[in-house]
Amino acid sequence: MPTYNPPLRDMQFVLHEVFNVVDELKACPKHAEVDADTINAVLEEGGKFAAEVAFPLNISGDEEGCTLDRATHEVKAPKGFKEAYAQYVQGGWPALSCDPDYGGQGLPFVVNQCFYEMLNSANQAWTMYPGLSHGAYECLHAHGSAEQKATFLPKLTSGEWTGTMCLTEPHCGTDLGLLRTKAEPQADGSYRLTGQKIFISAGEHDLAENIVHLVLARLPDAPAGSKGISLFLVPKFHVKADGSLGERNGIYCGGLEHKMGIHANATCQMVLDGAVGTLVGQPNKGLQAMFVMMNAARLGVGNQSLGLTEVAFQNALSYAKDRIQMRSLSGTKAKDKPADPIIVHPDVRKMLLTAKAYAEGGRALLTFCALLLDKELNHPEDKVRKDSAELLALLTPIAKAFLTDNGFEATNHCQQVFGGHGYIKEWGMEQFVRDARINMIYEGTNTVQSLDLLGRKVLGNQGATLKKFGKLVAALVEEEGVNEKMAEFINPLAGLGEQITKFTMEVGFKGLQNPDEVGAAAVPYLRVVGHLVFGYFFARMAQVATRAIAAGSTDPFYTAKLQTARFYFARLFPETATLMRQARAGSRVLMDTDAALA
Ligand SMILES: Cc1cc2nc3c(=O)[nH]c(=O)nc-3n(C[C@H](O)[C@H](O)[C@H](O)COP(=O)(O)OP(=O)(O)OC[C@H]3O[C@@H](n4cnc5c(N)ncnc54)[C@H](O)[C@@H]3O)c2cc1C
């Protein structure tokens, strides 16, 4: 059976020693009073919930899955899920970073981010039930009418009701411009929605008393394509004027998907049969409003893979110390045993360190993103809010795609560390791999994320935002450029920074002549920029560790940080050279292949 220990020390390192979140947030009136002790105490309690309540349901939930009662259209989550959710609500966990105006605790998003990493490590499928509510909450907070906010935000904040995002239809996933669900205006100002949605996570379940569906649909006079999409709020149960629940609305689960992983999360086919909804935001501007939820969900999906990477690493590490096979190439290490523990073998160490580096880099990136979100929403200065929003927009597709690709690789490596036992259910490793796979697909496939990064976020503004990130890199290079102890981290980072400027210009220039060049380069491009971002954070983590050691610390924690950073720059970062070569191969080798693909 796998185990899980919340990585609180690692979180504290990133929050307080690398990013100094408490000082960074002092300027935001809402968070000026938050201190490190409060953050640490909340995360310690949150870690207990994750490890003691959510984690024990991970394997049983996977084995049992969800069940649909076809007569009532009701879905039951696996045994224990409802009770765990009740505990989560009772503990006030849904309200952690919600607005106090709606009953929230008003803590910064960085805290919620770390809490959710632990929940995802513990049980990704369970975490998706409350997880989607956060995106729905943010979307309504940003775009809901006063009445929608007053009715729905307190219930999403308390966790009494959960949220969903209903975008996908059988014939449209990536290309939402094709969607067909119809919304007919009614005399009372509401709308009746008809159509079919598929793959809706947590679309129906028995954890909460009501479900708030955010549904994309078309008005009768809507222009074709993505410019004619509106967003509607469709509750599972109607809500009466006094806030109590009324009749069942015409939205129900018509079927459950049987899938590779996250078995315990209900992936629902949703039928809208004249369901009553209200418009969120402006007509035909639904995609813009939904983007608030999608951006939150993209960071959330990156966090799912971070969680899985961490828990898979922890289990692979303890197995590698325990399992004995063969002798070390450089001579017997465990003389008292008939063979050495497999952790002595270089390649096993490479697999473990890969997972560790991906977890630590991912944690730094997502913490930085959550801090940007806190500043975007709460900083008193316009310029800081605008710059934070811009940088976050650049980093979001990287957080989604780079972390989920890494997460799949890392969980695979950790499974491999177990040899054949990793393939057997009882160790829990094959579940981590299966669960990690969906993260590369939903919330915009990783290919779509890379097109968003290269096409919109980089070339779309002639590299202006990327240059802003480049300035952060340049400042660190400037600061540490003459520090010999930092050279092994700073030199490759500075080198890649320079190469990326040229590389981006090249891809942009070729793209002007032939747009397929952008499509051909986008996926390797995202990984290259992902490494620039990780390289920057690993150098910053190494800087903190180097300074702590120079100041006399003998805590092995800092030595471990340096060793992981060293491994990252030596073994993972160099793939950028191959990736740039692949991208430079251009579109011809892909597009002039009609014979090969006939
Ligand atoms: C378990 C699960 C849970 C989900 N949860 C939700 C949910 O809660 N709400 C919701 O609305 N949806 C949900 N989805 C749907 C998910 O977001 C979509 O599956 C995803 O966006 C891809 O859409 P598609 O499956 O239609 O694939 P398609 O859009 O048909 O894409 C097929 C392939 O073509 C590629 N492709 C498409 N267009 C391009 C392009 N322009 N350039 C390059 N490549 C391209 C894609 O990357 C992909 O590899 C879920 C899906 C699953 C499996």
Side-chain angles (χ1 to χ4, degrees):
M1 291 284 271
T3 57
Y4 174 60
N5 292 310
L8 296 172
R9 177 70 180 95
D10 273 76
M11 285 177 179
Q12 288 163 8
F13 173 71
V14 172
L15 287 167
H16 307 308
E17 296 180 67
V18 181
F19 295 125
N20 298 313
V21 294
V22 171
D23 289 345
E24 286 282 319
L25 291 173
K26 279 266 177 286
C28 303
K30 269 191 179 171
H31 303 312
E33 302 300 320
V34 177
D35 58 38
D37 287 347
T38 308
I39 295 177
N40 296 346
V42 169
L43 292 179
E44 196 176 328
E45 281 308 303
K48 282 186 198 153
F49 179 88
E52 294 167 17
V53 181
F55 188 62
L57 300 171
N58 195 39
I59 290 184
S60 58
D62 180 63
E63 281 167 0
E64 184 183 338
C66 298
T67 43
L68 167 68
D69 180 334
R70 291 205 170 267
T72 61
H73 302 292
E74 276 168 13
V75 171
K76 268 199 187 337
K79 207 162 146 243
F81 271 46
K82 190 176 171 164
E83 292 73 16
Y85 187 76
Q87 243 179 290
Y88 171 82
V89 170
Q90 218 170 20
W93 294 110
L96 212 57
S97 60
C98 293
D99 188 344
D101 287 351
Y102 300 102
Q105 296 176 30
L107 281 169
F109 280 107
V110 278
V111 182
N112 206 49
Q113 148 64 35
C114 293
F115 174 49
Y116 260 75
E117 179 204 313
M118 297 188 280
L119 290 180
N120 284 318
S121 283
N123 194 328
Q124 172 168 329
W126 181 88
T127 303
M128 287 171 72
Y129 291 104
L132 281 150
S133 302
H134 281 287
Y137 165 92
E138 282 171 41
C139 181
L140 285 178
H141 198 276
H143 293 284
S145 66
E147 199 185 334
Q148 285 168 332
K149 287 184 187 182
T151 310
F152 294 95
L153 289 183
K155 296 290 192 183
L156 287 170
T157 300
S158 67
E160 285 162 274
W161 300 352
T162 61
T164 74
M165 53 194 302
C166 299
L167 289 69
T168 307
E169 298 181 4
H171 60 285
C172 86
T174 302
D175 190 354
L176 292 168
L178 299 173
L179 72 82
R180 291 185 195 140
T181 297
K182 283 191 297 201
E184 294 280 346
Q186 304 297 299
D188 64 357
S190 69
Y191 296 81
R192 277 199 180 268
L193 280 81
T194 310
Q196 199 198 346
K197 297 285 174 181
I198 59 164
F199 298 164
I200 305 307
S201 298
E204 174 62 37
H205 58 80
D206 59 346
L207 270 57
E209 60 183 24
N210 203 6
I211 302 176
V212 182
H213 299 283
L214 290 183
V215 184
L216 290 181
R218 272 182 197 291
L219 292 166
D221 56 354
S226 57
K227 294 203 170 90
I229 297 175
S230 303
L231 179 62
F232 299 88
L233 187 159
V234 182
K236 171 178 168 183
F237 286 101
H238 292 294
V239 183
K240 294 189 206 159
D242 65 357
S244 62
L245 294 185
E247 295 289 295
R248 189 87 162 72
N249 200 356
I251 180 165
Y252 59 87
C253 176
L256 284 178
E257 306 297 349
H258 301 279
K259 52 196 195 291
M260 175 175 174
I262 54 165
H263 291 160
N265 191 265
T267 307
C268 303
Q269 296 157 15
M270 298 301 293
V271 179
L272 291 118
D273 187 11
V276 178
T278 50
L279 184 69
V280 179
Q282 299 301 309
N284 301 326
K285 300 265 188 255
L287 263 189
Q288 285 95 316
M290 193 50 135
F291 257 110
V292 175
M293 184 162 190
M294 285 152 80
N295 282 328
R298 284 171 185 182
L299 296 176
V301 173
N303 205 11
Q304 292 180 324
S305 283
L306 167 59
L308 289 173
T309 302
E310 172 67 32
V311 69
F313 165 68
Q314 288 186 15
N315 284 281
L317 178 63
S318 83
Y319 187 82
K321 287 178 180 171
D322 197 46
R323 173 77 172 171
I324 55 167
Q325 287 297 296
M326 308 285 287
R327 286 295 183 193
S328 160
L329 292 172
S330 54
T332 298
K333 298 290 182 294
K335 296 202 171 70
D336 54 330
K337 295 192 174 134
D340 284 330
I342 58 172
I343 198 163
V344 303
H345 305 306
D347 197 61
V348 170
R349 294 174 92 89
K350 179 211 73 189
M351 293 191 281
L352 292 169
L353 284 163
T354 300
K356 185 170 202 276
Y358 282 154
E360 291 183 8
R363 186 170 298 120
L365 170 55
L366 284 177
T367 306
F368 187 76
C369 286
L371 189 57
L372 288 174
L373 184 61
D374 281 317
K375 288 190 196 168
E376 176 191 341
L377 297 179
N378 299 308
H379 203 281
E381 286 173 39
D382 277 354
K383 183 167 165 18
V384 177
R385 285 203 305 275
K386 189 171 160 285
D387 285 352
S388 304
E390 228 180 285
L391 204 48
L392 182 59
L394 177 85
L395 294 176
T396 297
I398 299 168
K400 198 278 178 181
F402 194 57
L403 264 57
T404 59
D405 283 349
N406 293 347
F408 190 58
E409 189 187 331
T411 49
N412 255 308
H413 277 322
C414 293
Q415 181 186 28
Q416 188 80 7
V417 168
F418 280 71
H421 300 274
Y423 200 71
I424 303 301
K425 269 185 179 279
E426 79 175 273
W427 289 94
M429 300 308 286
E430 56 85 43
Q431 185 188 348
F432 297 140
V433 178
R434 283 189 287 107
D435 287 354
R437 185 63 183 88
I438 185 58
N439 301 343
M440 300 150 86
I441 297 174
Y442 58 22
E443 252 333 296
T445 62
N446 285 0
T447 305
V448 170
Q449 301 301 324
S450 68
L451 289 167
D452 178 46
L453 176 73
L454 179 56
R456 288 182 57 224
K457 309 276 170 71
V458 175
L459 300 179
N461 65 12
Q462 283 81 44
T465 320
L466 185 62
K467 278 187 200 136
K468 284 189 185 165
F469 187 80
K471 280 193 181 156
L472 296 178
V473 175
L476 184 65
V477 171
E478 172 82 22
E479 194 183 343
E480 293 290 351
V482 289
N483 181 353
E484 269 177 32
K485 293 214 162 78
M486 286 290 291
E488 60 184 314
F489 314 118
I490 291 294
N491 292 348
L493 176 65
L496 183 63
E498 280 164 24
Q499 289 172 48
I500 283 185
T501 306
K502 192 164 164 255
F503 177 49
T504 305
M505 277 164 54
E506 255 178 66
V507 174
F509 183 69
K510 279 160 88 179
L512 283 177
Q513 291 158 336
N514 176 4
D516 273 339
E517 292 292 338
V518 174
V523 169
Y525 184 87
L526 184 141
R527 264 199 94 69
V528 173
V529 180
H531 277 298
L532 179 76
V533 170
F534 263 37
Y536 171 69
F537 290 127
F538 269 109
R540 283 190 62 175
M541 291 191 278
Q543 183 185 45
V544 173
T546 308
R547 285 179 181 175
I549 292 167
S553 173
T554 51
D555 187 345
F557 180 85
Y558 295 111
T559 313
K561 289 287 158 218
L562 284 183
Q563 288 177 353
T564 309
R566 190 166 292 137
F567 166 81
Y568 169 74
F569 277 106
R571 288 297 297 247
L572 302 178
F573 189 86
E575 73 164 322
T576 48
T578 310
L579 290 162
M580 282 190 275
R581 221 171 141 186
Q582 287 170 352
R584 285 186 167 121
S587 67
R588 236 187 96 191
V589 289
L590 302 170
M591 305 315 279
D592 291 355
T593 50
D594 287 350
L597 295 175

